[in-house]
Amino acid sequence: MDDKVPRAPAAETQSAGHELRAVTLLADADESAEQALSDWARGLEWVEWLFSGIRQRMTHLHFQPPASGKLLRFQIAWEKFAQESLQSLLVPQLMKAWEAAEAMQLGSLISADVNFGASLSNKENAQSLEAGHLLLKATRGARYQGILKHYRTAVEEGRAPGHFLSVWAAVGHFFQLSLTNLIAEYLRLEWQTATRDLSGSPPLANLPRLTSRLLQDHSPALRVVV
């Protein structure tokens, strides 16, 4: 894995004007791209602890689980969520916030935060803000927070709403997470929170494949070399 290669050419940058960090994954000859991505995503158990307050206190985040407790209905609802909300709204917002945090542009991060809230219903706003404030609380004691500290101050002063995806982007930047890990851990949180009361709490199937698909749809930055 090489997460420190030169940035992509200007022609491949996002519309926001920020260049994305290229990521090259070196896989074994008999290993698929999804398997390589899955191996790379391991070792982030500490994120489970960071999100523990959200999973314990909330029934769901952006993914609204069906009333039925049957796994098949969850899977169908999740696939619709992945094809619609994740593609058109949630992942683009996470990327905008991440790009702003990477560029240390507090104004752009606040702007993305405010604009995102305008696209949500009142109920969705409440869920997003609750999760965002829980995550800010969980990271309050960290030192040398950089843009996360300035963004936290903006939230406390009422200059930024503090939506979860914006907070997570700033927190991910503080912990030096890649965009790939940022998206993968967000997807895992959505699934684990919504299925918490489901019998057996099944893991999210094909998480690496979904993460890869979302990245490739919105960014040319991910490359898997076998």
Side-chain angles (χ1 to χ4, degrees), residues 9-28:
E12 295 183 350
T13 60
Q14 298 297 297
S15 59
H18 303 306
E19 297 180 352
L20 294 177
R21 181 185 306 159
V23 177
T24 300
L25 304 184
L26 300 178
D28 294 333

Side-chain angles (χ1 to χ4, degrees), residues 191-214:
W191 178 267
Q192 288 180 342
T193 304
T195 61
R196 183 185 55 200
D197 296 326
L198 199 63
S199 178
S201 298
L204 173 57
N206 298 321
L207 173 60
R209 182 178 301 173
L210 176 58
T211 304
S212 178
R213 188 179 81 195
L214 290 167

Side-chain angles (χ1 to χ4, degrees), residues 24-25 28 63 68 107 113 135 163-164 176-177 181 222 225:
T24 300
L25 304 184
D28 294 333
F63 172 50
S68 170
D113 199 25
L135 183 55
H163 287 287
F164 171 79
Q176 299 182 333
L177 293 183
N181 287 136
L222 178 68
V225 180

Side-chain angles (χ1 to χ4, degrees), residues 49-87:
W49 172 85
L50 198 62
F51 287 160
S52 60
I54 297 173
R55 291 197 309 272
Q56 291 169 5
R57 299 187 185 188
M58 301 184 64
T59 58
H60 67 280
L61 212 165
H62 292 293
F63 172 50
Q64 173 68 60
S68 170
K70 295 182 179 180
L71 178 58
L72 179 58
R73 291 199 62 182
F74 267 83
Q75 292 171 330
I76 294 173
W78 176 265
E79 185 58 31
K80 181 180 180 181
F81 172 73
Q83 293 178 358
E84 296 177 0
S85 297
L86 281 177
Q87 284 279 3

